[in-house]
Amino acid sequence: MDSDNDNAFLNTLSADALFELALTTNDNDQAWNAISRLHTIATDDVFTKAVHLCHSQNALERSLGVNVIAQIGLPQHTYQEPTVQLLLQLIETEDSPIVLESIGMALGHRNDERAVEPLLPFQQHPDPSVRYSVAFGLLGQTNPRAIACLIALSADPDTDIRDWATFGLAQQIDTDTPAIREAFIARLHDPGGNTAGEAMVGLARRKDARVIAPLMQLLQAGDAGSLLFEAAATLGDPVLLPILEQIRTHWEGDHDWQYRTLIEAIDACTPNAVE
């Protein structure tokens, strides 16, 4: 079933049927589509049923309950306070990795500073999905302990965790400390995912000139990713202009959002004309 047909099918289902489908389907995408549909229904009945599932003896049911309350009614923050209170209660006794992952992600969606301290003990959890959810749960938090945790996670053995933690430090907060900058320096040559690009954006946002040499090296090597263009645009240093112009001259892709980011970088690095 393609996405459009799946969505049309889900729109015909009752809330109870959506809960049942999310629990029983073997198609992960369909399960999440059902959960997303429950988020938009956002009635007291849906919230009450999800809360009931959060207290189930079955880990899959608890995970589903948490996944539903995580974003129900957002972005209007419907049920914000009871949801946060319940999540903070659940994390105190939960030991299932699949449920802990859901709780961490849910706390991130709810963006409440009270999540910081309860999440910190899971920074070194053996399951990478749990550590990933800790990074997500701490996004946007400027508490020094949250920042220290993200710095540690930016060096995690798991590629996705390093990427997400570095993104959180680079773009989700404006805090600027030597420790944050050194965390970015440590990731400038990271081999996985977008982590190096995120580190460059983080340094560029803090106007740290140490980003220029590795940024130019990657651009000259033909690594024309949007994060590198974003870093160049944020830095706005004319020394980057020749290589950016060269990339534009030889651009073979579509003139899409990535190309537009390149043009923004060129404009930002172009010195103002002398009057």
Side-chain angles (χ1 to χ4, degrees), residues 83-93 103 107 112 114-116 118:
T83 294
V84 172
Q85 288 189 11
L86 177 57
L87 293 171
L88 296 178
Q89 172 191 337
L90 294 173
I91 200 172
E92 291 181 358
T93 57
I103 293 173
L107 287 169
D112 192 292
R114 289 171 290 179
V116 173

Side-chain angles (χ1 to χ4, degrees), residues 75-120:
Q76 287 75 29
H77 291 281
T78 307
Y79 308 108
Q80 176 75 2
E81 187 58 25
T83 294
V84 172
Q85 288 189 11
L86 177 57
L87 293 171
L88 296 178
Q89 172 191 337
L90 294 173
I91 200 172
E92 291 181 358
T93 57
E94 186 58 61
D95 59 5
S96 167
I98 188 174
V99 185
L100 287 170
E101 176 188 6
S102 295
I103 293 173
M105 301 298 287
L107 287 169
H109 285 300
R110 290 294 171 173
N111 190 29
D112 192 292
E113 62 184 7
R114 289 171 290 179
V116 173
E117 292 298 328
L119 284 171
L120 294 179

Side-chain angles (χ1 to χ4, degrees), residues 5-76:
N5 288 336
D6 193 27
N7 288 332
F9 166 67
L10 293 174
N11 288 338
T12 68
L13 298 182
S14 67
D16 285 344
L18 289 166
F19 274 108
E20 182 65 20
L21 179 64
L23 277 174
T24 59
T25 181
N26 293 321
D27 185 331
N28 189 60
D29 289 338
Q30 187 178 60
W32 275 104
N33 286 338
I35 292 169
S36 296
R37 173 66 180 144
L38 288 167
H39 291 158
T40 65
I41 296 175
T43 62
D44 288 349
D45 286 344
V46 170
F47 182 73
T48 299
K49 179 157 187 171
V51 169
H52 177 73
L53 287 173
C54 288
H55 296 290
S56 170
Q57 295 299 308
N58 182 285
L60 290 177
E61 292 184 353
R62 295 199 302 279
S63 177
L64 173 58
V66 172
N67 289 336
V68 172
I69 67 172
Q71 298 183 73
I72 189 169
L74 290 180
Q76 287 75 29

Side-chain angles (χ1 to χ4, degrees), residues 48 52 69 129 136 158 206 218 248 252:
T48 299
H52 177 73
I69 67 172
S129 66
F136 186 86
D158 184 273
R206 291 156 179 84
L218 285 181
R248 178 171 64 173
E252 296 181 353

